[in-house]
Amino acid sequence: MMSQTLRDARKYEEAMERKIDKAARPDFHLAARVGWMNDPNGFSYYKGEYHLFYQYHPYDSHWGPMHWGHAVSEDLLHWRYLPAALAPDMDYDRDGCFSGSAAVLPDGRHLLLYTGVSREAQPDGSIRDIQTQCVAVGDGMDYDKYTGSPVLTEKDLPEGGSRFDFRDPKIWQKPDGSYRCVIGNCTEQGDGRILLYSSPDGMNWKYEKILAANNQRFGRMWECPDCFVLDGKGVLLTSPQDMLPQGFEYHNGNGTLCLIGSYDEKTDTFTEEHDQSIDYGIDFYAPQTVLAPDGRRIMIGWMQNWDTCNLHTPEQLWFGQMSLPRELSVRNGRLYQKPVRELEALRGEEVRHGNVTFTDVVRLAGVEGRKVDMEVTVRPVDTENMYRKFAVRFAQDDAHQTSVSFRPYESIVKVDRKFSGSRRAIIHQRRCLVNSKDGTIKMRIILDKFSAEVFVNDGEHVLTATMYTDLAADGISFFADGAVSMDVVKYELK
Ligand code: FRU
């Protein structure tokens, strides 16, 4: 039986969606149907389509009691909204259905594993979130909460585990048909770790072990873990809260972390070898992956960040969008990302400019727009006397621009939205140390109205940023301090 809370949410979103101007939404990035969106949830392939759920507060463009929004797509780019899948309507999730994931059961039903939140007064008078793991089962449209929920509670925590921070289960199936999941947790002192659980059927779960621990290296609580084997390596993704910066690798605040190492499938043991950020831009958090039917590991993230996502007015009818889905690979112990190849089907006319040699500023015929897939390769004209800075400026008019620049002597790429129209004293720039040889660099830039995703050197580093510049600002120009030679291949995206 569907609860009144869910029925209300479904009615509301359907009515309100009609009031939202489609032209003001991104075209191939999933945005909130109405109200607020954060983390991607339940990213899965089910009955011939990709399903993507999301943290959702339909009634307000700011965070509130979490529902699960729902959309489906065949190509990961054109999304069709389905009715909200979960609402906070049980005792154990009355204060929110937090993040989680999905799997397909042997009988063909779709299983959702998520965090239920209920607030509880503590002996010291404070009110805290109690977090447990819950199951709902459905047909890709309607979901029933499993009567055995919650399936994991504080009783299933290892010693010293915080019951206030026990969330975001990510499930996968082993070759023998049994299930595993990783869940974010921290110690009572607030030090993040990833817990591993096992289940024969997706409903009955058992604590196994601490799969990875922070040991006070990367922020505090670790949110939204994901774990998979890719290209022969074990990969753990997580989103740490409260990070301190480390060089150009990690920035302050909520960040993203990828641990790469070896993974023993027999004993489910992860041995860490390397760490890196997942995205080096401003707006990317809480990514989750899906294994596509063709074997690709595809990741999508929330294209926002918690420190700047509350600046819009409550009158705004929707807020929040996802990143592009990205194909992952591991090469030389490092995570690489590239836009899903389905994006190529959206390409319109090709504009090519080879070997453009210039200093100062150029504009190129046919190169403009706010829905763009553009690859730029730049090299110095004289390697003995390299250019000092190169930049691509976009979403540009007389007063506005957002840019991505490269300084070959420092090997730094910077995304800068200071002139994007923002009136707030927030982070507008972020820098990242990249690899470049003799001042040569390649950048693929994807624009979809209000966002820019920059894939440097075939996805070795990625920088993502939103920009809320008026759509009329659609200029693109190139800047060089010193002489460069540049190749540009640009497609308008349909
Ligand atoms: C991450 C997160 C998750 C939680 C959800 C709540 O952005 O804080 O840990 O499940 O958002 O909306």
Side-chain angles (χ1 to χ4, degrees):
M1 257 278 284
M2 199 189 301
S3 70
Q4 195 57 42
T5 316
L6 183 57
R7 218 188 298 270
D8 289 347
R10 287 182 167 194
K11 219 157 99 189
Y12 182 82
E13 61 180 0
E14 203 189 318
M16 292 303 285
E17 186 193 348
R18 287 191 223 118
K19 300 194 180 169
I20 296 174
D21 177 13
K22 256 196 123 181
R25 285 186 185 275
D27 270 17
F28 50 92
H29 289 70
L30 181 67
R33 187 170 182 187
V34 58
W36 162 274
M37 161 193 280
N38 57 292
D39 314 354
N41 294 157
F43 195 16
S44 53
Y45 191 80
Y46 180 63
K47 290 188 183 164
E49 286 177 310
Y50 292 97
H51 286 249
L52 185 60
F53 303 81
Y54 52 91
Q55 290 286 283
Y56 183 35
H57 185 215
Y59 303 111
D60 190 347
S61 61
H62 292 265
W63 193 87
M66 281 292 113
H67 296 56
W68 274 36
H70 191 184
V72 288
S73 173
E74 272 167 35
D75 66 356
L76 296 155
L77 299 168
H78 297 91
W79 293 97
R80 181 163 57 85
Y81 291 114
L82 292 184
L86 300 177
D89 51 15
M90 302 299 279
D91 202 37
Y92 51 79
D93 65 13
R94 60 176 185 254
D95 293 306
C97 300
F98 275 21
S99 283
S101 52
V104 183
L105 292 172
D107 63 8
R109 291 179 302 159
H110 204 201
L111 174 134
L112 309 180
L113 181 64
Y114 69 98
T115 300
V117 175
S118 60
R119 294 210 177 106
E120 200 184 271
Q122 301 306 302
D124 68 357
S126 65
I127 307 273
R128 299 294 298 267
D129 282 2
I130 305 300
Q131 307 191 328
T132 60
Q133 317 316 320
C134 310
V135 164
V137 177
D139 61 359
M141 178 77 81
D142 300 311
Y143 293 83
D144 289 320
K145 290 185 180 169
Y146 171 53
T147 49
S149 291
V151 295
L152 286 169
T153 68
E154 60 185 276
K155 293 198 290 294
D156 306 292
L157 282 169
E159 224 192 287
S162 163
R163 63 197 185 109
F164 310 122
D165 292 286
F166 177 37
R167 58 181 176 271
D168 312 335
K170 175 72 192 332
I171 188 173
W172 73 96
Q173 196 169 21
K174 300 283 282 187
D176 70 0
S178 65
Y179 297 90
R180 298 288 180 279
C181 82
V182 279
I183 305 181
N185 181 229
C186 60
T187 62
E188 273 147 14
Q189 292 71 42
D191 195 24
R193 55 206 192 162
I194 295 174
L195 309 180
L196 179 79
Y197 292 82
S198 69
S199 169
D201 55 6
M203 321 268 169
N204 297 288
W205 288 92
K206 181 171 150 259
Y207 171 69
E208 292 290 337
K209 63 172 142 194
I210 298 173
L211 191 65
N214 186 13
N215 298 323
Q216 295 169 29
R217 294 172 298 161
F218 308 106
R220 293 189 172 137
M221 168 65 185
W222 282 6
E223 300 188 306
C224 301
D226 198 344
C227 177
F228 47 88
V229 171
L230 181 62
D231 299 325
K233 301 303 283 183
V235 181
L236 266 185
L237 308 180
T238 186
S239 296
Q241 294 181 305
D242 308 309
M243 304 249 306
L244 291 171
Q246 292 180 31
F248 289 106
E249 192 60 34
Y250 300 102
H251 59 72
N252 315 56
N254 285 34
T256 53
L257 172 67
C258 172
L259 300 175
I260 296 183
S262 63
Y263 194 87
D264 183 336
E265 294 265 18
K266 281 203 188 72
T267 58
D268 288 311
T269 307
F270 176 71
T271 312
E272 190 184 320
E273 288 163 6
H274 160 81
D275 66 84
Q276 64 171 97
S277 272
I278 302 173
D279 194 287
Y280 296 81
I282 302 171
D283 295 301
F284 191 83
Y285 195 65
Q288 185 172 94
T289 69
V290 66
L291 185 62
D294 58 12
R296 286 179 297 165
R297 179 62 63 173
I298 298 172
M299 177 183 76
I300 195 164
W302 179 41
M303 197 156 53
Q304 257 306 323
N305 89 73
W306 279 112
D307 286 324
T308 55
C309 62
N310 278 311
L311 302 169
H312 55 285
T313 60
E315 289 80 55
Q316 194 176 315
L317 286 181
W318 67 274
F319 181 81
Q321 53 173 318
M322 295 299 168
S323 73
L324 261 185
R326 302 167 181 182
E327 292 177 19
L328 301 184
S329 59
V330 176
R331 271 188 263 162
N332 305 320
R334 195 179 162 82
L335 185 75
Y336 279 71
Q337 306 168 46
K338 59 177 187 199
V340 282
R341 60 195 69 169
E342 285 83 346
L343 191 68
E344 285 152 39
L346 269 54
R347 286 174 172 175
E349 200 198 334
E350 177 184 292
V351 176
R352 233 175 228 277
H353 294 271
N355 231 330
V356 182
T357 300
F358 72 102
T359 55
D360 206 16
V361 176
V362 286
R363 285 169 193 278
L364 299 175
V367 178
E368 77 267 296
R370 288 285 285 271
K371 285 168 56 188
V372 167
D373 179 351
M374 176 168 72
E375 189 154 84
V376 182
T377 308
V378 65
R379 42 194 127 47
V381 168
D382 175 3
T383 39
E384 303 292 296
N385 180 23
M386 287 203 290
Y387 64 98
R388 282 156 302 277
K389 181 181 169 185
F390 167 79
V392 185
R393 297 167 174 166
F394 43 87
Q396 188 176 23
D397 63 13
D398 291 343
H400 304 102
Q401 65 174 52
T402 292
S403 67
V404 47
S405 62
F406 175 60
R407 290 181 180 272
Y409 287 102
E410 289 104 66
S411 209
I412 293 283
V413 167
K414 179 167 94 178
V415 58
D416 186 346
R417 62 176 181 190
K418 186 160 102 190
F419 301 105
S420 66
S422 161
R423 292 177 191 272
R424 298 268 65 89
I426 58 170
I427 290 285
H428 291 113
Q429 301 166 341
R430 194 149 274 153
R431 289 179 297 167
C432 156
L433 193 59
V434 302
N435 292 312
S436 105
K437 206 167 157 272
D438 303 327
T440 298
I441 191 168
K442 190 155 97 177
M443 297 189 281
R444 183 169 168 199
I445 302 170
I446 313 288
L447 308 180
D448 182 9
K449 293 184 179 171
F450 305 110
S451 64
E453 291 167 270
V454 183
F455 298 81
V456 181
N457 292 335
D458 298 308
E460 193 177 26
H461 290 88
V462 187
L463 297 93
T464 300
T466 56
M467 50 183 185
Y468 296 95
T469 316
D470 200 273
L471 288 177
D474 67 351
I476 296 178
S477 65
F478 304 88
F479 166 87
D481 177 6
V484 299
S485 162
M486 164 179 89
D487 301 329
V488 176
V489 185
K490 177 250 167 189
Y491 304 88
E492 184 74 36
L493 292 170
K494 290 179 286 190

